Amino acid sequence: IYVDDGSSPRSIASQLAGSQNLPFAKTDIVIDAVPTPTEIDHALAQLELMARERGNAVGLATALPATIARIAAWAKNVEGRGFVLVPITMVAVKAKSS
């Protein structure tokens, strides 16, 4: 599987994944781009909004202690808000080779 972190708007990751016949997913939001509890919570809310609008969304985060704590707190009630957390393999798609 190839997961593009979304950092480059000119990424050719999907084409590369396709040429290697790999499932592909692109990050919609970096959850801890600003690694403060308030900004992480805001990013998680944005992720939910994207998922509600499109049916799924991909978040990427580092293993910083603050990030882990905020995601753990958020994940406890995620199903009550109508969401299901799934592995990245559930949203990755086979890229079409160019």
Side-chain angles (χ1 to χ4, degrees):
I1 188 168
Y2 190 101
V3 180
D4 184 350
D5 69 4
S7 62
S8 173
R10 298 177 11 196
S11 174
I12 60 167
S14 65
Q15 292 94 330
L16 291 174
S19 71
Q20 298 298 310
N21 200 32
L22 294 172
F24 172 79
K26 183 175 180 186
T27 299
D28 294 303
I29 190 166
V30 177
I31 295 166
D32 56 357
V34 180
T36 64
T38 300
E39 290 301 317
I40 291 168
D41 290 345
H42 177 72
L44 290 167
Q46 289 298 111
L47 189 67
E48 284 188 17
L49 183 62
M50 289 178 202
R52 196 169 304 283
E53 290 173 352
R54 296 190 333 234
N56 66 53
V58 176
L60 179 80
T62 59
L64 295 170
T67 304
I68 293 169
R70 296 313 310 148
I71 292 174
W74 169 80
K76 284 181 184 176
N77 301 313
V78 74
E79 289 184 12
R81 293 188 305 278
F83 297 97
V84 177
L85 298 179
V86 299
I88 192 68
T89 54
M90 296 297 294
V91 296
V93 296
K94 281 284 192 180
K96 297 202 180 352
S97 41
S98 345

